[in-house]
């Protein structure tokens, strides 16, 4: 009987996933193309990325990803002292994180990508097109993952294929993973050439905004009925996506010269997608748009300062 139930649930989810693809064929094709390009970049650059001098860059990326993980864990542990946060304060903190992500995408990813592409091609137009191509790849990857990965948000509920066969907690965890992955990729890409002027301010910015994010994850898990200690462990575990994403990012952007500006654009596109698609709507849903916008501007200013001071 148990075997039949498992088989039925597997078939149900598989059917929901197929229906999702049929309903969004253009997104599915775009996601497939984006994945193929990313895999090609990994294949072409993989051998060179993790050999010789590039091993130092790999170490920087892993350290940066570990910093993001540590900051997420710190934020999660703060829930032991902070059992509740007002909705207005939470929206302001998320707005601050969104502002830092937007500024990081602009100053630490897109601008260095444009400079690298221009130096590579000796053409402003060609360089811009390379970075735009990377941006498009990042958007396609996140758009495809959003459509075809079952996940749930506290306020907006279920997204992606039918998740009736998956526990609500795991749907929420998948949403966290989709949020943390591009941050880790951005860290990895920023260190792909060993340029601390690019990687250090970006890593500091992401680590700073990971602290309130870690706390927000715990509070959101508590809101859907999870025990405190289980919520903290889940939030800490979600931070592991940052070092894993950093490895993916440095693998994509190392080796092949054009892969670096493409990778910077890809990470920026993925982060901007997350900010626009998830973070900003979440902060405006409870009627605290002004507080969230002030938080966003403060986060943008802090990141701009860090990029100038550390870069």
């Amino acid at each position: 009987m148990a075997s039949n139930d498992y088989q039925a649930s597997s078939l149900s989810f598989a059917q929901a996933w197929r229906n999702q693809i049929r309903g969004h064929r253009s997104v599915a094709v775009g996601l497939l193309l984006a994945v193929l390009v990313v895999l090609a970049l990994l294949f072409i650059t993989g051998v060179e990325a993790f050999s010789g001098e590039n091993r130092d860059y790999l170490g920087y990326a892993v350290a940066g990803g570990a910093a993001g993980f540590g900051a997420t864990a710190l934020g999660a542990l703060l829930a032991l002292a902070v059992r509740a946060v007002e909705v207005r304060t939470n929206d302001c903190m998320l707005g601050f994180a969104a502002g830092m992500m937007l500024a990081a995408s602009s100053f630490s990813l897109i601008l260095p990508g444009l400079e690298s592409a221009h130096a590579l091609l000796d053409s402003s137009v060609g360089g811009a097109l390379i970075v735009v191509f990377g941006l498009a790849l990042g958007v396609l990857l996140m758009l495809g993952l959003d459509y075809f990965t079952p996940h749930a948000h506290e306020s907006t509920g279920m997204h992606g294929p039918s998740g009736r066969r998956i526990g609500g907690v795991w749907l929420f965890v998948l949403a966290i993973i989709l949020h943390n992955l591009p941050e880790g990729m951005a860290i990895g890409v920023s260190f792909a050439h060993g340029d601390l002027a690019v990687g250090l301010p970006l890593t500091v910015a992401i680590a700073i905004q990971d602290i309130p994010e870690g706390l927000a994850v715990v509070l959101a898990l508590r809101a859907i009925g999870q025990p405190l200690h289980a919520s903290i462990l889940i939030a800490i575990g979600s931070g592991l996506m940052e070092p894993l994403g950093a490895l993916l990012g440095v693998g994509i952007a190392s080796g092949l010269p054009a892969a670096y500006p493409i990778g910077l654009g890809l990470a920026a596109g993925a982060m901007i997608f997350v900010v626009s698609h998830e973070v900003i709507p979440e902060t405006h849903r409870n009627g605290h748009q002004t507080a969230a916008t002030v938080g966003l501007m403060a986060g943008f200013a802090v990141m701009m300062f860090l990029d100038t001071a550390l870069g």
Side-chain angles (χ1 to χ4, degrees), residues 125-170:
V125 174
L129 287 175
I130 284 182
V131 176
V132 168
F133 176 68
L135 283 167
L137 282 178
V139 171
L140 283 173
L141 281 174
M142 296 310 299
L143 186 63
L145 289 172
D146 184 72
Y147 269 109
F148 302 119
T149 302
H151 59 286
H153 299 283
E154 181 186 0
S155 301
T156 57
M158 177 67 199
H159 294 264
S162 173
R164 288 190 298 269
R165 304 290 181 176
I166 303 176
V169 175
W170 292 111

Side-chain angles (χ1 to χ4, degrees), residues 8-97:
S9 62
S10 298
L11 289 173
S12 174
F13 180 75
Q15 183 61 46
W17 193 69
R18 285 194 293 269
N19 291 339
Q20 191 81 349
I21 291 178
R22 293 192 189 103
H24 303 91
R25 290 185 185 277
S26 59
V27 177
V29 171
L31 173 63
L32 178 61
L33 290 174
V35 169
L36 288 175
V37 172
V38 170
L39 289 176
L41 289 173
L42 283 170
F43 177 78
I44 293 171
T45 66
V47 175
E48 187 174 348
F50 304 119
S51 63
E53 185 184 30
N54 287 331
R55 287 180 181 172
D56 294 335
Y57 309 161
L58 178 62
Y60 293 150
V62 171
F69 168 72
T72 301
L74 175 61
L77 290 172
L78 286 177
L80 292 170
V82 182
R83 298 301 177 96
V85 174
E86 291 184 1
V87 175
R88 180 187 180 90
T89 303
N90 186 63
D91 287 342
C92 189
M93 289 193 309
L94 288 176
F96 183 85

Side-chain angles (χ1 to χ4, degrees), residues 224-285:
I224 62 174
Q226 284 301 297
L228 175 61
H229 290 88
S231 299
I232 291 174
L233 289 175
I234 291 172
I236 291 174
S238 72
L240 290 172
M241 288 307 300
E242 301 225 4
L244 291 175
L247 286 174
L248 177 62
V250 75
I252 290 173
S254 296
L256 191 69
Y260 181 59
I262 290 174
L264 288 169
L266 186 152
M271 288 180 65
I272 293 170
F273 179 91
V274 168
V275 170
S276 177
H277 190 66
E278 295 182 14
V279 182
I280 291 178
E282 185 72 23
T283 63
H284 287 206
R285 193 165 283 116

Side-chain angles (χ1 to χ4, degrees), residues 63 88 115 163 180 218:
R88 180 187 180 90
E115 291 176 5
N180 284 350
V218 175

Side-chain angles (χ1 to χ4, degrees), residues 180-199:
N180 284 350
L181 180 63
E183 292 181 4
M185 289 177 60
I187 291 173
V189 170
S190 69
F191 283 118
H193 279 191
D195 190 349
L196 295 180
V198 175

